[in-house]
Amino acid sequence: EKPGAAMDNLDRAERLGWIESAETWLEIRKLRNQMVHEYIEDLAILTSALQAGHAYVSVLIDTAKRLTTQIDKLAPKVSP
C-alpha cells in the first residue's frame, strides 16, 4: 500500500490493532524528534525527556510483540 501521512498511518495501525493508541505514538514521535533534532543543553529538560522516553519503553515492547505476532500470522511458512 502507498504510505500516507503519519497520523493516517497511525490511525490505521490503531484500527488494525497493531498499536494501542495513535495519540500515544504521536507523543512518542514528538519526543523522539525533540531528542534527536535538538541539542538539549538544559539538564532539567534533558532529564525530563529521558524520563519520558523511559516511560514509553513498555509501549515499544508491547507493540513489537504485537507486530511480531501479526507477522507470524501473515508470513508464509517456509519449510526447511
Side-chain angles (χ1 to χ4, degrees), residues 10-77:
L10 290 171
D11 283 340
R12 182 147 193 252
E14 184 178 341
R15 282 193 310 275
L16 292 170
W18 297 349
I19 63 174
E20 194 163 312
S21 167
E23 286 296 321
T24 298
W25 274 90
L26 275 179
E27 293 170 17
I28 293 170
R29 185 175 183 212
K30 287 178 186 176
L31 178 61
R32 179 250 179 221
N33 288 344
Q34 175 194 8
M35 293 178 74
V36 171
H37 297 294
E38 298 175 17
Y39 184 75
I40 303 174
E41 294 182 18
D42 185 325
L43 187 55
I45 293 172
L46 177 59
T47 301
S48 176
L50 290 171
Q51 289 172 337
H54 187 266
Y56 290 122
V57 168
S58 63
V59 174
L60 298 173
I61 291 171
D62 290 344
T63 301
K65 288 177 183 176
R66 204 176 273 140
L67 292 174
T68 300
T69 300
Q70 188 67 24
I71 290 168
D72 290 342
K73 286 181 188 176
L74 296 175
K77 303 297 181 212

Short mmCIF file of all heavy atoms in Angstrom, two decimals, residues 10-77:
data_model
loop_
_atom_site.label_atom_id
_atom_site.label_comp_id
_atom_site.label_asym_id
_atom_site.label_seq_id
_atom_site.Cartn_x
_atom_site.Cartn_y
_atom_site.Cartn_z
N LEU A 10 -0.93 6.01 11.57
CA LEU A 10 -1.11 5.64 12.97
C LEU A 10 -2.56 5.30 13.28
O LEU A 10 -2.84 4.34 13.99
CB LEU A 10 -0.62 6.77 13.89
CG LEU A 10 0.90 6.97 13.90
CD1 LEU A 10 1.25 8.25 14.66
CD2 LEU A 10 1.60 5.77 14.52
N ASP A 11 -3.49 6.08 12.72
CA ASP A 11 -4.91 5.78 12.92
C ASP A 11 -5.25 4.40 12.36
O ASP A 11 -5.97 3.62 12.99
CB ASP A 11 -5.79 6.84 12.25
CG ASP A 11 -5.88 8.13 13.03
OD1 ASP A 11 -5.59 8.11 14.25
OD2 ASP A 11 -6.23 9.16 12.43
N ARG A 12 -4.72 4.09 11.19
CA ARG A 12 -4.99 2.78 10.58
C ARG A 12 -4.36 1.66 11.42
O ARG A 12 -4.99 0.62 11.64
CB ARG A 12 -4.44 2.73 9.16
CG ARG A 12 -4.73 1.41 8.50
CD ARG A 12 -4.95 1.57 7.02
NE ARG A 12 -5.52 0.34 6.50
CZ ARG A 12 -4.86 -0.51 5.74
NH1 ARG A 12 -3.62 -0.26 5.40
NH2 ARG A 12 -5.43 -1.61 5.32
N ALA A 13 -3.14 1.87 11.87
CA ALA A 13 -2.48 0.87 12.71
C ALA A 13 -3.28 0.62 13.98
O ALA A 13 -3.40 -0.52 14.44
CB ALA A 13 -1.05 1.31 13.04
N GLU A 14 -3.86 1.67 14.54
CA GLU A 14 -4.70 1.51 15.74
C GLU A 14 -5.96 0.72 15.41
O GLU A 14 -6.34 -0.20 16.15
CB GLU A 14 -5.07 2.87 16.32
CG GLU A 14 -5.85 2.80 17.61
CD GLU A 14 -6.17 4.16 18.20
OE1 GLU A 14 -5.51 5.16 17.85
OE2 GLU A 14 -7.10 4.21 19.03
N ARG A 15 -6.62 1.04 14.30
CA ARG A 15 -7.83 0.31 13.90
C ARG A 15 -7.53 -1.18 13.67
O ARG A 15 -8.37 -2.04 13.96
CB ARG A 15 -8.43 0.92 12.63
CG ARG A 15 -9.20 2.20 12.85
CD ARG A 15 -10.04 2.58 11.64
NE ARG A 15 -9.32 2.57 10.37
CZ ARG A 15 -8.59 3.58 9.88
NH1 ARG A 15 -8.47 4.70 10.57
NH2 ARG A 15 -7.99 3.47 8.71
N LEU A 16 -6.34 -1.47 13.13
CA LEU A 16 -5.97 -2.85 12.87
C LEU A 16 -5.49 -3.58 14.11
O LEU A 16 -5.24 -4.79 14.08
CB LEU A 16 -4.88 -2.90 11.78
CG LEU A 16 -5.31 -2.47 10.39
CD1 LEU A 16 -4.11 -2.32 9.47
CD2 LEU A 16 -6.31 -3.47 9.82
N GLY A 17 -5.32 -2.85 15.21
CA GLY A 17 -4.88 -3.46 16.46
C GLY A 17 -3.38 -3.63 16.56
O GLY A 17 -2.89 -4.34 17.43
N TRP A 18 -2.64 -2.97 15.67
CA TRP A 18 -1.18 -3.09 15.69
C TRP A 18 -0.56 -2.22 16.77
O TRP A 18 0.50 -2.54 17.29
CB TRP A 18 -0.59 -2.73 14.34
CG TRP A 18 -1.03 -3.64 13.23
CD1 TRP A 18 -1.70 -4.83 13.35
CD2 TRP A 18 -0.83 -3.45 11.85
NE1 TRP A 18 -1.92 -5.37 12.12
CE2 TRP A 18 -1.40 -4.55 11.18
CE3 TRP A 18 -0.22 -2.44 11.10
CZ2 TRP A 18 -1.37 -4.67 9.79
CZ3 TRP A 18 -0.20 -2.57 9.73
CH2 TRP A 18 -0.77 -3.68 9.09
N ILE A 19 -1.21 -1.09 17.06
CA ILE A 19 -0.78 -0.22 18.15
C ILE A 19 -1.99 0.04 19.03
O ILE A 19 -3.13 -0.07 18.58
CB ILE A 19 -0.16 1.11 17.66
CG1 ILE A 19 -1.18 1.96 16.89
CG2 ILE A 19 1.10 0.86 16.84
CD1 ILE A 19 -0.68 3.33 16.51
N GLU A 20 -1.72 0.36 20.28
CA GLU A 20 -2.82 0.58 21.20
C GLU A 20 -3.44 1.97 21.04
O GLU A 20 -4.65 2.14 21.15
CB GLU A 20 -2.35 0.39 22.64
CG GLU A 20 -3.50 0.26 23.60
CD GLU A 20 -3.08 -0.33 24.92
OE1 GLU A 20 -2.38 -1.36 24.91
OE2 GLU A 20 -3.45 0.24 25.95
N SER A 21 -2.60 2.98 20.75
CA SER A 21 -3.10 4.35 20.69
C SER A 21 -2.29 5.19 19.71
O SER A 21 -1.08 5.35 19.87
CB SER A 21 -3.04 4.99 22.07
OG SER A 21 -3.23 6.38 21.99
N ALA A 22 -2.97 5.74 18.70
CA ALA A 22 -2.31 6.63 17.75
C ALA A 22 -1.80 7.89 18.46
O ALA A 22 -0.72 8.39 18.16
CB ALA A 22 -3.27 7.00 16.62
N GLU A 23 -2.57 8.37 19.42
CA GLU A 23 -2.17 9.58 20.16
C GLU A 23 -0.87 9.35 20.92
O GLU A 23 0.01 10.20 20.94
CB GLU A 23 -3.28 10.02 21.11
CG GLU A 23 -4.45 10.68 20.43
CD GLU A 23 -4.07 11.98 19.73
OE1 GLU A 23 -3.27 12.76 20.28
OE2 GLU A 23 -4.60 12.20 18.62
N THR A 24 -0.76 8.19 21.57
CA THR A 24 0.47 7.87 22.30
C THR A 24 1.65 7.83 21.35
O THR A 24 2.73 8.34 21.66
CB THR A 24 0.33 6.53 23.04
OG1 THR A 24 -0.72 6.65 23.99
CG2 THR A 24 1.62 6.15 23.76
N TRP A 25 1.46 7.24 20.17
CA TRP A 25 2.54 7.16 19.20
C TRP A 25 2.92 8.53 18.67
O TRP A 25 4.10 8.78 18.37
CB TRP A 25 2.20 6.19 18.07
CG TRP A 25 2.59 4.82 18.49
CD1 TRP A 25 1.83 3.90 19.16
CD2 TRP A 25 3.88 4.23 18.36
NE1 TRP A 25 2.56 2.78 19.43
CE2 TRP A 25 3.81 2.95 18.95
CE3 TRP A 25 5.07 4.65 17.79
CZ2 TRP A 25 4.92 2.10 19.00
CZ3 TRP A 25 6.16 3.79 17.83
CH2 TRP A 25 6.08 2.54 18.42
N LEU A 26 1.98 9.45 18.57
CA LEU A 26 2.31 10.83 18.19
C LEU A 26 3.18 11.48 19.27
O LEU A 26 4.14 12.19 18.97
CB LEU A 26 1.05 11.66 17.97
CG LEU A 26 0.44 11.57 16.59
CD1 LEU A 26 -0.82 12.44 16.52
CD2 LEU A 26 1.42 11.99 15.51
N GLU A 27 2.83 11.22 20.53
CA GLU A 27 3.63 11.75 21.64
C GLU A 27 5.05 11.18 21.60
O GLU A 27 6.03 11.92 21.80
CB GLU A 27 2.98 11.41 22.98
CG GLU A 27 1.67 12.10 23.24
CD GLU A 27 0.95 11.55 24.47
OE1 GLU A 27 1.60 10.88 25.30
OE2 GLU A 27 -0.25 11.79 24.58
N ILE A 28 5.16 9.88 21.34
CA ILE A 28 6.48 9.25 21.25
C ILE A 28 7.27 9.86 20.10
O ILE A 28 8.46 10.15 20.23
CB ILE A 28 6.33 7.72 21.06
CG1 ILE A 28 5.75 7.09 22.33
CG2 ILE A 28 7.67 7.08 20.70
CD1 ILE A 28 5.35 5.63 22.16
N ARG A 29 6.61 10.06 18.98
CA ARG A 29 7.28 10.65 17.81
C ARG A 29 7.78 12.07 18.10
O ARG A 29 8.90 12.43 17.73
CB ARG A 29 6.31 10.64 16.64
CG ARG A 29 6.93 11.12 15.36
CD ARG A 29 5.95 10.97 14.23
NE ARG A 29 6.62 11.37 13.00
CZ ARG A 29 6.02 11.94 11.99
NH1 ARG A 29 4.73 12.14 12.03
NH2 ARG A 29 6.69 12.28 10.92
N LYS A 30 6.95 12.87 18.75
CA LYS A 30 7.36 14.24 19.10
C LYS A 30 8.56 14.22 20.04
O LYS A 30 9.50 15.00 19.88
CB LYS A 30 6.19 15.00 19.74
CG LYS A 30 5.12 15.39 18.76
CD LYS A 30 3.97 16.09 19.47
CE LYS A 30 2.82 16.36 18.53
NZ LYS A 30 1.67 16.95 19.21
N LEU A 31 8.53 13.33 21.02
CA LEU A 31 9.64 13.22 21.96
C LEU A 31 10.90 12.78 21.23
O LEU A 31 11.98 13.34 21.45
CB LEU A 31 9.30 12.23 23.08
CG LEU A 31 10.39 11.98 24.11
CD1 LEU A 31 10.75 13.28 24.85
CD2 LEU A 31 9.95 10.91 25.09
N ARG A 32 10.77 11.80 20.37
CA ARG A 32 11.91 11.32 19.58
C ARG A 32 12.50 12.46 18.75
O ARG A 32 13.71 12.67 18.72
CB ARG A 32 11.47 10.18 18.67
CG ARG A 32 12.57 9.64 17.79
CD ARG A 32 12.28 10.03 16.35
NE ARG A 32 13.34 9.54 15.49
CZ ARG A 32 13.84 10.23 14.50
NH1 ARG A 32 13.41 11.45 14.25
NH2 ARG A 32 14.78 9.75 13.75
N ASN A 33 11.64 13.22 18.08
CA ASN A 33 12.12 14.34 17.26
C ASN A 33 12.83 15.39 18.11
O ASN A 33 13.86 15.92 17.71
CB ASN A 33 10.97 14.96 16.48
CG ASN A 33 10.50 14.07 15.36
OD1 ASN A 33 11.18 13.13 14.95
ND2 ASN A 33 9.31 14.35 14.85
N GLN A 34 12.29 15.67 19.28
CA GLN A 34 12.93 16.64 20.17
C GLN A 34 14.32 16.15 20.58
O GLN A 34 15.28 16.90 20.54
CB GLN A 34 12.09 16.85 21.44
CG GLN A 34 12.76 17.75 22.45
CD GLN A 34 12.11 17.71 23.83
OE1 GLN A 34 11.23 16.90 24.10
NE2 GLN A 34 12.55 18.58 24.70
N MET A 35 14.40 14.89 20.94
CA MET A 35 15.67 14.37 21.44
C MET A 35 16.71 14.20 20.33
O MET A 35 17.91 14.33 20.58
CB MET A 35 15.44 13.04 22.16
CG MET A 35 14.64 13.22 23.44
SD MET A 35 14.29 11.67 24.28
CE MET A 35 15.89 11.31 24.96
N VAL A 36 16.27 13.95 19.12
CA VAL A 36 17.20 13.70 18.02
C VAL A 36 17.59 14.99 17.31
O VAL A 36 18.75 15.15 16.91
CB VAL A 36 16.58 12.70 17.01
CG1 VAL A 36 17.41 12.59 15.75
CG2 VAL A 36 16.44 11.34 17.66
N HIS A 37 16.66 15.91 17.16
CA HIS A 37 16.91 17.09 16.34
C HIS A 37 17.29 18.35 17.12
O HIS A 37 17.67 19.34 16.52
CB HIS A 37 15.68 17.39 15.47
CG HIS A 37 15.37 16.29 14.51
ND1 HIS A 37 16.22 15.95 13.48
CD2 HIS A 37 14.33 15.43 14.43
CE1 HIS A 37 15.71 14.94 12.80
NE2 HIS A 37 14.56 14.61 13.37
N GLU A 38 17.20 18.30 18.42
CA GLU A 38 17.55 19.46 19.23
C GLU A 38 18.72 19.11 20.15
O GLU A 38 18.76 18.01 20.70
CB GLU A 38 16.37 19.91 20.09
CG GLU A 38 15.16 20.36 19.31
CD GLU A 38 13.98 20.69 20.21
OE1 GLU A 38 14.18 20.88 21.42
OE2 GLU A 38 12.85 20.71 19.69
N TYR A 39 19.64 20.03 20.29
CA TYR A 39 20.72 19.84 21.24
C TYR A 39 20.23 20.40 22.57
O TYR A 39 20.10 21.61 22.75
CB TYR A 39 22.00 20.55 20.78
CG TYR A 39 23.16 20.29 21.71
CD1 TYR A 39 23.81 19.06 21.69
CD2 TYR A 39 23.58 21.26 22.61
CE1 TYR A 39 24.86 18.81 22.54
CE2 TYR A 39 24.63 21.01 23.47
CZ TYR A 39 25.27 19.78 23.43
OH TYR A 39 26.32 19.53 24.28
N ILE A 40 19.93 19.51 23.50
CA ILE A 40 19.35 19.92 24.78
C ILE A 40 20.48 20.24 25.75
O ILE A 40 21.20 19.35 26.20
CB ILE A 40 18.43 18.82 25.35
CG1 ILE A 40 17.33 18.49 24.34
CG2 ILE A 40 17.82 19.26 26.67
CD1 ILE A 40 16.46 17.31 24.74
N GLU A 41 20.63 21.50 26.05
CA GLU A 41 21.69 21.94 26.97
C GLU A 41 21.21 22.00 28.41
O GLU A 41 22.01 21.84 29.33
CB GLU A 41 22.21 23.31 26.54
CG GLU A 41 22.93 23.27 25.20
CD GLU A 41 23.49 24.62 24.82
OE1 GLU A 41 23.64 25.50 25.69
OE2 GLU A 41 23.79 24.79 23.63
N ASP A 42 19.93 22.25 28.61
CA ASP A 42 19.38 22.37 29.96
C ASP A 42 19.23 20.97 30.55
O ASP A 42 18.48 20.13 30.03
CB ASP A 42 18.02 23.08 29.88
CG ASP A 42 17.43 23.35 31.25
OD1 ASP A 42 17.61 22.53 32.18
OD2 ASP A 42 16.76 24.39 31.39
N LEU A 43 19.94 20.71 31.64
CA LEU A 43 19.94 19.39 32.26
C LEU A 43 18.55 18.97 32.71
O LEU A 43 18.17 17.80 32.59
CB LEU A 43 20.91 19.36 33.44
CG LEU A 43 21.14 18.00 34.09
CD1 LEU A 43 21.61 16.97 33.07
CD2 LEU A 43 22.14 18.12 35.23
N ALA A 44 17.74 19.90 33.18
CA ALA A 44 16.38 19.58 33.63
C ALA A 44 15.52 19.12 32.46
O ALA A 44 14.75 18.16 32.57
CB ALA A 44 15.74 20.78 34.32
N ILE A 45 15.67 19.78 31.30
CA ILE A 45 14.90 19.39 30.11
C ILE A 45 15.36 18.02 29.60
O ILE A 45 14.55 17.17 29.25
CB ILE A 45 15.02 20.46 29.01
CG1 ILE A 45 14.33 21.75 29.45
CG2 ILE A 45 14.42 19.96 27.70
CD1 ILE A 45 14.55 22.93 28.53
N LEU A 46 16.67 17.81 29.59
CA LEU A 46 17.22 16.52 29.16
C LEU A 46 16.74 15.40 30.08
O LEU A 46 16.31 14.35 29.62
CB LEU A 46 18.75 16.57 29.13
CG LEU A 46 19.44 15.25 28.76
CD1 LEU A 46 19.02 14.77 27.38
CD2 LEU A 46 20.95 15.41 28.85
N THR A 47 16.79 15.64 31.38
CA THR A 47 16.35 14.64 32.35
C THR A 47 14.88 14.32 32.14
O THR A 47 14.48 13.15 32.12
CB THR A 47 16.58 15.14 33.78
OG1 THR A 47 17.97 15.39 33.97
CG2 THR A 47 16.10 14.14 34.81
N SER A 48 14.07 15.34 31.94
CA SER A 48 12.65 15.15 31.71
C SER A 48 12.40 14.34 30.44
O SER A 48 11.56 13.43 30.42
CB SER A 48 11.95 16.51 31.61
OG SER A 48 10.61 16.36 31.29
N ALA A 49 13.13 14.66 29.37
CA ALA A 49 12.97 13.94 28.10
C ALA A 49 13.36 12.47 28.26
O ALA A 49 12.68 11.57 27.75
CB ALA A 49 13.80 14.61 27.01
N LEU A 50 14.46 12.22 28.96
CA LEU A 50 14.89 10.83 29.17
C LEU A 50 13.89 10.05 30.02
O LEU A 50 13.61 8.88 29.75
CB LEU A 50 16.28 10.81 29.80
CG LEU A 50 17.42 11.27 28.90
CD1 LEU A 50 18.71 11.41 29.70
CD2 LEU A 50 17.61 10.33 27.73
N GLN A 51 13.36 10.69 31.05
CA GLN A 51 12.35 10.02 31.88
C GLN A 51 11.08 9.75 31.09
O GLN A 51 10.47 8.68 31.22
CB GLN A 51 12.05 10.86 33.12
CG GLN A 51 13.20 10.86 34.11
CD GLN A 51 12.99 11.84 35.26
OE1 GLN A 51 12.25 12.80 35.15
NE2 GLN A 51 13.66 11.57 36.37
N ALA A 52 10.69 10.69 30.25
CA ALA A 52 9.50 10.48 29.41
C ALA A 52 9.75 9.33 28.44
O ALA A 52 8.88 8.48 28.24
CB ALA A 52 9.17 11.76 28.64
N GLY A 53 10.94 9.29 27.86
CA GLY A 53 11.28 8.19 26.96
C GLY A 53 11.25 6.85 27.66
O GLY A 53 10.73 5.86 27.13
N HIS A 54 11.76 6.81 28.87
CA HIS A 54 11.76 5.57 29.65
C HIS A 54 10.34 5.10 29.93
O HIS A 54 10.05 3.90 29.93
CB HIS A 54 12.54 5.75 30.95
CG HIS A 54 12.72 4.48 31.70
ND1 HIS A 54 11.86 4.08 32.69
CD2 HIS A 54 13.64 3.50 31.59
CE1 HIS A 54 12.25 2.92 33.17
NE2 HIS A 54 13.33 2.54 32.51
N ALA A 55 9.44 6.04 30.13
CA ALA A 55 8.05 5.69 30.42
C ALA A 55 7.39 4.99 29.23
O ALA A 55 6.41 4.27 29.41
CB ALA A 55 7.26 6.94 30.80
N TYR A 56 7.92 5.21 28.02
CA TYR A 56 7.34 4.61 26.81
C TYR A 56 7.95 3.26 26.45
O TYR A 56 7.53 2.63 25.48
CB TYR A 56 7.48 5.55 25.63
CG TYR A 56 6.60 6.78 25.72
CD1 TYR A 56 7.14 8.06 25.69
CD2 TYR A 56 5.21 6.67 25.81
CE1 TYR A 56 6.34 9.18 25.75
CE2 TYR A 56 4.40 7.78 25.89
CZ TYR A 56 4.98 9.04 25.86
OH TYR A 56 4.17 10.14 25.93
N VAL A 57 8.92 2.78 27.20
CA VAL A 57 9.58 1.52 26.88
C VAL A 57 8.56 0.37 26.80
O VAL A 57 8.58 -0.44 25.87
CB VAL A 57 10.70 1.19 27.89
CG1 VAL A 57 11.18 -0.24 27.74
CG2 VAL A 57 11.85 2.17 27.72
N SER A 58 7.64 0.31 27.73
CA SER A 58 6.65 -0.78 27.72
C SER A 58 5.75 -0.70 26.48
O SER A 58 5.37 -1.73 25.93
CB SER A 58 5.81 -0.78 29.00
OG SER A 58 5.06 0.40 29.10
N VAL A 59 5.43 0.51 26.04
CA VAL A 59 4.63 0.67 24.82
C VAL A 59 5.40 0.11 23.63
O VAL A 59 4.83 -0.61 22.79
CB VAL A 59 4.28 2.16 24.58
CG1 VAL A 59 3.59 2.35 23.23
CG2 VAL A 59 3.42 2.70 25.71
N LEU A 60 6.68 0.42 23.54
CA LEU A 60 7.50 -0.07 22.43
C LEU A 60 7.62 -1.59 22.45
O LEU A 60 7.49 -2.24 21.40
CB LEU A 60 8.88 0.58 22.48
CG LEU A 60 8.92 2.10 22.33
CD1 LEU A 60 10.33 2.62 22.56
CD2 LEU A 60 8.39 2.53 21.00
N ILE A 61 7.84 -2.16 23.62
CA ILE A 61 7.96 -3.62 23.73
C ILE A 61 6.63 -4.29 23.38
O ILE A 61 6.60 -5.27 22.62
CB ILE A 61 8.44 -4.02 25.14
CG1 ILE A 61 9.90 -3.58 25.32
CG2 ILE A 61 8.29 -5.52 25.37
CD1 ILE A 61 10.42 -3.72 26.73
N ASP A 62 5.53 -3.79 23.92
CA ASP A 62 4.21 -4.37 23.62
C ASP A 62 3.91 -4.30 22.12
O ASP A 62 3.38 -5.25 21.54
CB ASP A 62 3.11 -3.67 24.41
CG ASP A 62 3.15 -3.96 25.89
OD1 ASP A 62 3.84 -4.93 26.29
OD2 ASP A 62 2.52 -3.20 26.66
N THR A 63 4.24 -3.18 21.50
CA THR A 63 3.99 -3.02 20.07
C THR A 63 4.85 -3.97 19.26
O THR A 63 4.37 -4.59 18.30
CB THR A 63 4.24 -1.57 19.63
OG1 THR A 63 3.37 -0.71 20.39
CG2 THR A 63 3.97 -1.38 18.15
N ALA A 64 6.11 -4.13 19.65
CA ALA A 64 6.99 -5.08 18.95
C ALA A 64 6.43 -6.49 19.03
O ALA A 64 6.41 -7.22 18.03
CB ALA A 64 8.40 -5.01 19.53
N LYS A 65 5.93 -6.87 20.19
CA LYS A 65 5.34 -8.21 20.35
C LYS A 65 4.09 -8.35 19.48
O LYS A 65 3.88 -9.38 18.83
CB LYS A 65 4.98 -8.46 21.81
CG LYS A 65 6.18 -8.68 22.70
CD LYS A 65 5.76 -8.85 24.15
CE LYS A 65 6.96 -9.00 25.07
NZ LYS A 65 6.57 -9.07 26.48
N ARG A 66 3.26 -7.32 19.47
CA ARG A 66 2.03 -7.33 18.69
C ARG A 66 2.35 -7.46 17.19
O ARG A 66 1.71 -8.24 16.48
CB ARG A 66 1.26 -6.03 18.97
CG ARG A 66 -0.21 -6.12 18.72
CD ARG A 66 -0.91 -4.83 19.11
NE ARG A 66 -1.26 -4.87 20.52
CZ ARG A 66 -1.16 -3.86 21.36
NH1 ARG A 66 -0.70 -2.70 20.96
NH2 ARG A 66 -1.50 -3.98 22.61
N LEU A 67 3.33 -6.70 16.73
CA LEU A 67 3.70 -6.76 15.31
C LEU A 67 4.35 -8.09 14.95
O LEU A 67 4.11 -8.63 13.86
CB LEU A 67 4.62 -5.59 14.96
CG LEU A 67 3.97 -4.20 15.01
CD1 LEU A 67 5.01 -3.11 14.78
CD2 LEU A 67 2.83 -4.09 14.02
N THR A 68 5.15 -8.63 15.84
CA THR A 68 5.76 -9.94 15.60
C THR A 68 4.69 -11.02 15.46
O THR A 68 4.76 -11.87 14.57
CB THR A 68 6.75 -10.29 16.73
OG1 THR A 68 7.75 -9.28 16.79
CG2 THR A 68 7.39 -11.64 16.51
N THR A 69 3.69 -10.97 16.32
CA THR A 69 2.59 -11.91 16.24
C THR A 69 1.86 -11.76 14.90
O THR A 69 1.53 -12.75 14.24
CB THR A 69 1.59 -11.69 17.40
OG1 THR A 69 2.29 -11.90 18.63
CG2 THR A 69 0.40 -12.61 17.31
N GLN A 70 1.64 -10.52 14.47
CA GLN A 70 0.96 -10.27 13.20
C GLN A 70 1.79 -10.79 12.03
O GLN A 70 1.26 -11.40 11.10
CB GLN A 70 0.70 -8.76 13.04
CG GLN A 70 -0.16 -8.43 11.86
CD GLN A 70 -1.58 -8.93 12.00
OE1 GLN A 70 -2.09 -9.15 13.09
NE2 GLN A 70 -2.24 -9.15 10.88
N ILE A 71 3.09 -10.60 12.07
CA ILE A 71 3.98 -11.11 11.02
C ILE A 71 3.90 -12.63 10.97
O ILE A 71 3.81 -13.22 9.89
CB ILE A 71 5.43 -10.64 11.25
CG1 ILE A 71 5.54 -9.15 10.98
CG2 ILE A 71 6.41 -11.42 10.37
CD1 ILE A 71 6.83 -8.53 11.45
N ASP A 72 3.93 -13.26 12.12
CA ASP A 72 3.85 -14.72 12.19
C ASP A 72 2.54 -15.24 11.56
O ASP A 72 2.51 -16.28 10.93
CB ASP A 72 3.98 -15.23 13.62
CG ASP A 72 5.39 -15.06 14.17
OD1 ASP A 72 6.33 -14.87 13.37
OD2 ASP A 72 5.53 -15.09 15.41
N LYS A 73 1.45 -14.50 11.75
CA LYS A 73 0.17 -14.89 11.18
C LYS A 73 0.15 -14.73 9.66
O LYS A 73 -0.44 -15.54 8.95
CB LYS A 73 -0.96 -14.03 11.76
CG LYS A 73 -1.35 -14.35 13.17
CD LYS A 73 -2.49 -13.44 13.60
CE LYS A 73 -2.80 -13.58 15.06
NZ LYS A 73 -3.85 -12.62 15.49
N LEU A 74 0.77 -13.66 9.17
CA LEU A 74 0.66 -13.32 7.75
C LEU A 74 1.78 -13.90 6.87
O LEU A 74 1.58 -14.07 5.68
CB LEU A 74 0.64 -11.80 7.58
CG LEU A 74 -0.54 -11.08 8.20
CD1 LEU A 74 -0.37 -9.58 8.08
CD2 LEU A 74 -1.85 -11.52 7.57
N ALA A 75 2.91 -14.15 7.47
CA ALA A 75 4.06 -14.61 6.69
C ALA A 75 3.85 -16.05 6.25
O ALA A 75 3.40 -16.89 7.03
CB ALA A 75 5.34 -14.49 7.50
N PRO A 76 4.19 -16.33 4.99
CA PRO A 76 4.08 -17.73 4.55
C PRO A 76 5.08 -18.61 5.30
O PRO A 76 6.18 -18.19 5.62
CB PRO A 76 4.42 -17.66 3.06
CG PRO A 76 5.11 -16.36 2.86
CD PRO A 76 4.69 -15.46 3.98
N LYS A 77 4.64 -19.80 5.60
CA LYS A 77 5.51 -20.74 6.31
C LYS A 77 6.49 -21.35 5.31
O LYS A 77 6.09 -21.82 4.25
CB LYS A 77 4.69 -21.85 6.97
CG LYS A 77 3.64 -21.34 7.94
CD LYS A 77 4.25 -20.60 9.10
CE LYS A 77 3.18 -20.12 10.05
NZ LYS A 77 3.49 -18.91 10.71
#
